[in-house]
Amino acid sequence: MLQDCIQNGDPIPGKVLHCDVLKRGDCLDLFGYNVLLNMYVKFELFYDAVNLFEEMPERNTVAFVTLIQGYALSLRFLEGVELFVRLQREGHELNPFVFSAILKLLVSMGWGELGWTVHACIFKLGYDSDEFVGTALIDAYSVCGNVANSRAVFNGIACKDMVSWSGMVACYSENDCFEEAVEAFSQMRIIGFKPNNFTFAGVLKACLGLETFNAGKSVHGLALKTRYEQDLYVGVALLELYTKSGAIDDAGRAFEEIPKKDVIPWSFMIARFAQSGRSTEALDLFSQMRQAFVVPNQFTFASVLQACATMEGLELGKQIHSHVLKVGLFSDVFVSNALMDVYAKCGRTDNSLDLFLESPNRNSVTWNTMIVGYVQSGDGEKALKLFLNMLEYQVLATEVTYSCVLRACASLTALDTGVQIHSLTVKTVYDMNIVVGNALIDMYAKCGSIKDARLVFDGLNERDEVSWNAMISGYSMHGLGREALKVFELMQKSKCKPNQLTFVGVLSACSNAGLLDQGQAYFSSMVHDYSIEPCIEHYTCMVWLLGRSGHLDKSIKLIEQIPFEPSVMVWRALLGACVIHNNVELGRISAQRVLEMEPEDEATHVLLSNMYAAAKRWENMAFVRKKMKMKGLRKEPGLSWIENLGIIHYFTVGDTSHPDMKLINGMLESLNVKTRKAGYVPNHNAVLLDVDDDEKERLLWLHSERLALSYGLIKMPSGRPIRIIKNLRICVDCHAAMKLISKVVQRDIIVRDMNRFHHFQDGNCSCCDYW
């Protein structure tokens, strides 16, 4: 009657029968009690099962094993281990069922490495050749990576059955011994065993690891013949095989064959679509899943939110956020992290921060998501503050953390902070990480320390396209075009192939150094030798290179040859070249094209105004200024800043607000006198105002970069380079003055203007007066 209850799936008659037994008195023998205990365990009535076990007049090994299995089902693993110890202490028989149960319990607890202690007892009692015990031992050794012991146990099994072979195939696959897994699968079939669902799942994983996708398709064919492709484990293994091989469409066909009552295959396919950038398909599949009445889990929601973040789908992200709150999954760390990412990618960092502060469970991904969000939104200071908080909470930073905070340092040109973070990476395992290394190259290059960027580049154990591109663009940014081309030549000899970004760096380097012939040759090589179609950035570099070299007619001809509509960038490049070469008419046309696309662009109005001023066409200049005033546009004021002891000091044109202004004015007077003795002659054309020459000379010494330089000379220790960042292009007169000052005061001066770096040293500049 009790067995019937178990088979019928109804515990109520069994409970009624138990009551009748209690009323009648002790009318069950040990066998009957064990069946009753088994019934309570099968129906997960563990409280009743434990009470019955303790009340049994006598117990044998079967009773202990049954309850141990019950503890395993209810995840009360420690109590199961204690029961095993009690079984031994009370002197009950240790048989294969006992050993199989305790080994499975240890594996479930993640204590597989303790399997060897049980193995010793098994060996003493002579059960090491038993197929059930052997398979449990294989599993225990497998989870702790001891493949050799698993193989030794497998070899010692007297009568290997299908389960033993499947366990061995799974052991090889789980421990990346893919060739051995395939070989074991072949041997098993030669002997005559037919694979089961676990065998198929294991060998498909091995095919994936070996990237033998055709062999995986053969296994798929065998699974179709045996109808195991409809098994959940096999189906997911097939999806993994096809998605990793890039055959998403084949994965879709395999997905159609899998029973879809379980959430796992749905979640898997949604995740793969989201991860491969096919966000629309991920969302469509999620919609189908909801129509099929399959309940999403935390992994489903995390993947759908990833798709929303990629698409910057704020409204859908909000809807899923509401649904997550309704089903009570917000506290799941994967879901909350994905929600933060959606809001951050959609520019709603305040909402991301609210979620971050509310999150009950935070891991390194939580912190990284918030830091990445701040960096992507251009708020490097908040990213660095959050990074400090992360360290205070003793959360271990990852390569994502370090690469992002280094990007923040690069955007802020915060060299001192970047150096400190570099020191932190050296203390960890990430100093040689290629992602962190690439971020370090970029940080040092953008902060003006190109030599340190090269040291990091040379110290990398391996280099990818990003490493080479970062170094090439770094040299280009510093006006060191020939060094950039040397790095490009080294890249061509390496295994890394140049891509679109590589040639942007190369052509930019040629433009910044005036290497016209080399630039034209590389532009041609990009198309003919590497089959890379030029994009708008390549054309912009070439227009600037030709125009800056004085070939304005060739620039126009190249623009006419662009196979798509020229962008604002192209016309701005031509306008800049026209300003340098005083070609007013072509400059007017270029400015007109820019303003047709961006009517509110103040920079173009300013360049046009400056061009008219340089040509002494004051009426035209006044008209442009009046037009700007009518549109509410204002020229961006000159701004320079310098870092000292971790504090940024800002200076505007003619600034009088700095607390050290008296000292700065004194230094300016001293520099004026010293540079005049060294041959400095003011360039009055650099002041585009209709005032007398004396006033122009006075105004030149009030430029923001000279104020910042004077402060640096006062405050910075002798021998230390002075680094100045400027929001506009450095003027001709400041450039000439900086060269002389570097010689007079014997200091290295590094200025980064809106276009590039200038390294002033002993009266010379790295740009060779070409900028």
Side-chain angles (χ1 to χ4, degrees):
M1 291 174 69
L2 289 170
Q3 293 284 19
D4 285 342
C5 293
I6 296 171
Q7 290 176 1
N8 295 332
D10 185 4
I12 302 301
K15 283 189 171 186
V16 172
L17 188 60
H18 188 187
C19 291
D20 191 53
V21 167
L22 292 173
K23 288 177 184 177
R24 292 172 182 268
D26 256 346
C27 63
L28 281 181
D29 60 7
L30 180 56
F31 178 78
Y33 272 115
N34 285 341
V35 175
L36 182 60
L37 180 65
N38 186 44
M39 183 199 76
Y40 282 126
V41 168
K42 282 287 194 321
F43 289 116
E44 299 184 8
L45 302 170
F46 300 115
Y47 179 78
D48 294 320
V50 172
N51 283 343
L52 175 64
F53 180 83
E54 296 299 337
E55 292 170 3
M56 287 171 64
E58 60 175 319
R59 307 175 193 90
N60 62 359
T61 299
V62 174
F64 277 91
V65 171
T66 303
L67 191 56
I68 288 172
Q69 291 172 342
Y71 280 132
L73 285 172
S74 61
L75 307 182
R76 294 161 64 176
F77 301 125
L78 285 175
E79 291 169 275
V81 173
E82 289 171 359
L83 195 61
F84 171 71
V85 173
R86 179 176 166 186
L87 179 151
Q88 287 182 289
R89 191 170 56 242
E90 292 183 10
H92 295 284
E93 178 193 7
L94 293 172
N95 61 24
F97 300 105
V98 176
F99 290 122
S100 298
I102 189 60
L103 285 167
K104 288 176 183 177
L105 197 66
L106 292 175
V107 169
S108 300
M109 296 174 71
W111 291 1
E113 63 273 11
L114 294 181
W116 67 271
T117 57
V118 181
H119 191 181
C121 187
I122 291 168
F123 185 79
K124 287 179 182 178
L125 296 175
Y127 290 124
D128 51 314
S129 61
D130 182 88
E131 60 268 30
F132 296 108
V133 178
T135 303
L137 276 170
I138 289 170
D139 193 30
Y141 283 125
S142 175
V143 295
C144 53
N146 199 330
V147 179
N149 279 1
S150 290
R151 182 70 200 192
V153 170
F154 179 76
N155 290 338
I157 296 174
C159 298
K160 300 177 182 67
D161 59 5
M162 185 63 246
V163 179
S164 307
W165 280 100
S166 294
M168 202 60 228
V169 171
C171 172
Y172 282 136
S173 295
E174 293 299 325
N175 290 283
D176 298 343
C177 301
F178 301 125
E179 290 183 5
E180 291 85 348
V182 174
E183 185 181 347
F185 178 74
S186 300
Q187 290 176 357
M188 178 196 78
R189 294 199 64 215
I190 291 168
I191 292 170
F193 284 111
K194 292 182 179 180
N196 62 18
N197 51 343
F198 299 109
T199 326
F200 278 123
V203 76
L204 283 168
K205 181 175 182 179
C207 292
L208 176 62
L210 293 169
E211 297 185 359
T212 53
F213 300 117
N214 287 331
K217 289 181 179 180
S218 299
V219 176
H220 187 183
L222 184 61
L224 286 169
K225 291 177 182 177
T226 55
R227 303 302 297 164
Y228 272 116
E229 86 285 355
Q230 295 189 4
D231 178 81
L232 180 62
Y233 294 103
V234 178
V236 172
L238 284 168
L239 296 181
E240 185 80 38
L241 176 79
Y242 286 120
T243 52
K244 285 289 177 66
S245 66
I248 297 287
D249 294 332
D250 288 337
R253 282 190 285 272
F255 176 74
E256 293 301 322
E257 299 296 323
I258 301 172
K260 299 174 186 63
K261 294 180 181 179
D262 198 286
V263 69
I264 293 175
W266 288 98
S267 292
F268 184 92
M269 280 305 294
I270 291 169
R272 289 297 178 265
F273 277 134
Q275 290 161 4
S276 58
R278 298 169 68 164
S279 302
T280 304
E281 289 163 278
L283 296 177
D284 288 343
L285 198 61
F286 178 67
S287 179
Q288 293 174 34
M289 176 183 175
R290 301 296 291 138
Q291 291 169 7
F293 300 105
V294 178
V295 179
N297 61 14
Q298 65 269 38
F299 304 110
T300 320
F301 283 120
S303 298
V304 172
L305 287 166
Q306 182 184 355
C308 292
T310 303
M311 298 174 66
E312 297 184 10
L314 180 61
E315 290 306 314
L316 183 57
K318 284 181 176 179
Q319 292 176 31
I320 294 172
H321 187 178
S322 300
H323 191 67
V324 163
L325 290 172
K326 287 178 183 177
V327 298
L329 280 174
F330 172 72
S331 59
D332 182 83
V333 69
F334 298 105
V335 176
S336 61
N337 289 349
L339 278 169
M340 285 169 52
D341 190 42
V342 171
Y343 287 115
K345 291 268 174 60
C346 295
R348 303 285 287 271
T349 50
D350 289 342
N351 296 102
S352 290
L353 182 61
D354 291 339
L355 291 172
F356 176 82
L357 296 174
E358 293 170 9
S359 179
N361 303 307
R362 295 179 196 160
N363 57 12
S364 61
V365 177
T366 315
W367 290 87
N368 289 344
T369 302
M370 203 64 232
I371 291 170
V372 170
Y374 278 134
V375 172
Q376 289 176 339
S377 64
D379 203 336
E381 290 185 6
K382 286 184 179 177
L384 291 173
K385 286 179 182 177
L386 196 63
F387 174 63
L388 290 176
N389 290 338
M390 182 179 180
L391 296 181
E392 288 171 4
Y393 278 96
Q394 297 183 339
V395 179
L396 292 177
T398 65
E399 66 267 29
V400 175
T401 322
Y402 287 120
S403 62
C404 280
V405 292
L406 287 167
R407 278 176 58 198
C409 293
S411 66
L412 296 169
T413 61
L415 180 62
D416 290 347
T417 307
V419 170
Q420 291 173 24
I421 293 170
H422 188 182
S423 301
L424 280 177
T425 66
V426 171
K427 294 176 182 178
T428 67
V429 297
Y430 294 113
D431 61 318
M432 287 291 106
N433 180 279
I434 192 167
V435 176
V436 177
N438 294 342
L440 282 167
I441 295 169
D442 184 59
M443 183 275 294
Y444 279 121
K446 287 180 178 174
C447 291
S449 186
I450 193 65
K451 290 182 179 178
D452 288 319
R454 184 57 190 262
L455 283 173
V456 174
F457 177 80
D458 289 338
L460 289 176
N461 293 327
E462 59 174 325
R463 302 184 185 109
D464 59 9
E465 290 87 350
V466 179
S467 316
W468 291 98
N469 292 349
M471 200 64 244
I472 291 168
S473 63
Y475 274 131
S476 170
M477 195 190 310
H478 285 261
L480 303 170
R482 297 189 186 281
E483 284 79 358
L485 298 184
K486 287 178 183 177
V487 174
F488 178 61
E489 289 171 7
L490 289 173
M491 181 183 184
Q492 289 176 307
K493 296 175 183 176
S494 72
K495 295 179 181 179
C496 289
K497 290 184 178 180
N499 56 24
Q500 275 194 337
L501 287 176
T502 313
F503 279 100
V504 170
V506 169
L507 295 176
S508 175
C510 294
S511 300
N512 287 339
L515 304 173
L516 181 60
D517 293 338
Q518 291 95 319
Q520 289 177 314
Y522 284 125
F523 186 74
S524 176
S525 173
M526 175 182 72
V527 177
H528 296 108
D529 298 337
Y530 293 96
S531 300
I532 296 174
E533 287 298 318
C535 64
I536 198 64
E537 286 81 10
H538 299 125
Y539 283 113
T540 303
C541 289
M542 289 305 297
V543 169
W544 173 247
L545 174 59
L546 291 166
R548 180 65 183 85
S549 302
H551 300 284
L552 295 171
D553 54 339
K554 291 184 178 179
S555 292
I556 286 289
K557 189 175 180 180
L558 180 62
I559 291 173
E560 292 172 350
Q561 293 172 354
I562 296 176
F564 42 84
E565 188 67 27
S567 71
V568 171
M569 295 165 59
V570 172
W571 291 110
R572 278 182 185 150
L574 183 60
L575 175 59
C578 292
V579 171
I580 291 171
H581 294 289
N582 299 315
N583 191 320
V584 178
E585 186 56 30
L586 185 56
R588 183 188 64 78
I589 294 170
S590 303
Q592 184 179 342
R593 293 297 180 87
V594 172
L595 294 175
E596 284 173 1
M597 290 182 263
E598 293 187 9
E600 307 300 316
D601 183 34
E602 72 274 4
T604 299
H605 284 91
V606 171
L607 279 174
L608 188 59
S609 170
N610 291 350
M611 188 171 59
Y612 284 135
K616 302 292 191 293
R617 292 169 58 168
W618 305 113
E619 290 182 4
N620 295 104
M621 185 195 84
F623 176 77
V624 174
R625 295 287 182 178
K626 184 179 179 181
K627 197 174 179 181
M628 288 180 68
K629 191 173 182 181
M630 288 173 60
K631 290 184 176 182
L633 304 176
R634 293 182 60 191
K635 178 185 176 182
E636 186 179 4
L639 180 68
S640 298
W641 58 95
I642 184 171
E643 183 181 1
N644 183 37
L645 300 176
I647 299 173
I648 307 295
H649 297 264
Y650 295 92
F651 297 90
T652 56
V653 178
D655 199 346
T656 58
S657 62
H658 198 279
D660 293 317
M661 208 62 226
K662 288 184 179 179
L663 291 173
I664 291 170
N665 285 330
M667 178 60 73
L668 284 172
E669 288 294 328
S670 173
L671 292 175
N672 194 351
V673 172
K674 289 179 180 179
T675 52
R676 284 182 182 275
K677 287 181 181 179
Y680 166 70
V681 177
N683 187 339
H684 297 156
N685 293 328
V687 179
L688 301 175
L689 295 172
D690 193 10
V691 296
D692 60 46
D693 288 350
D694 288 342
E695 179 63 11
K696 286 183 177 181
E697 288 184 24
R698 188 187 74 80
L699 292 173
L700 285 172
W701 282 95
L702 296 179
H703 281 193
S704 61
E705 56 264 54
R706 299 197 202 193
L707 297 175
L709 174 62
S710 298
Y711 174 82
L713 290 171
I714 294 165
K715 295 292 185 179
M716 308 286 273
S718 178
R720 183 177 178 182
I722 296 173
R723 290 183 171 84
I724 299 167
I725 312 299
K726 184 172 171 58
N727 66 330
L728 302 176
R729 186 173 178 271
I730 190 171
C731 78
V732 176
D733 191 74
C734 283
H735 192 271
M738 292 281 183
K739 287 201 298 182
L740 284 172
I741 292 170
S742 70
K743 185 175 183 179
V744 168
V745 300
Q746 286 297 296
R747 295 285 287 272
D748 288 354
I749 303 167
I750 301 167
V751 178
R752 192 185 92 174
D753 67 9
M754 66 181 294
N755 292 328
R756 60 185 290 171
F757 279 94
H758 296 265
H759 292 251
F760 300 99
Q761 186 177 39
D762 197 28
N764 298 302
C765 179
S766 59
C767 74
C768 299
D769 298 337
Y770 186 94
W771 84 98

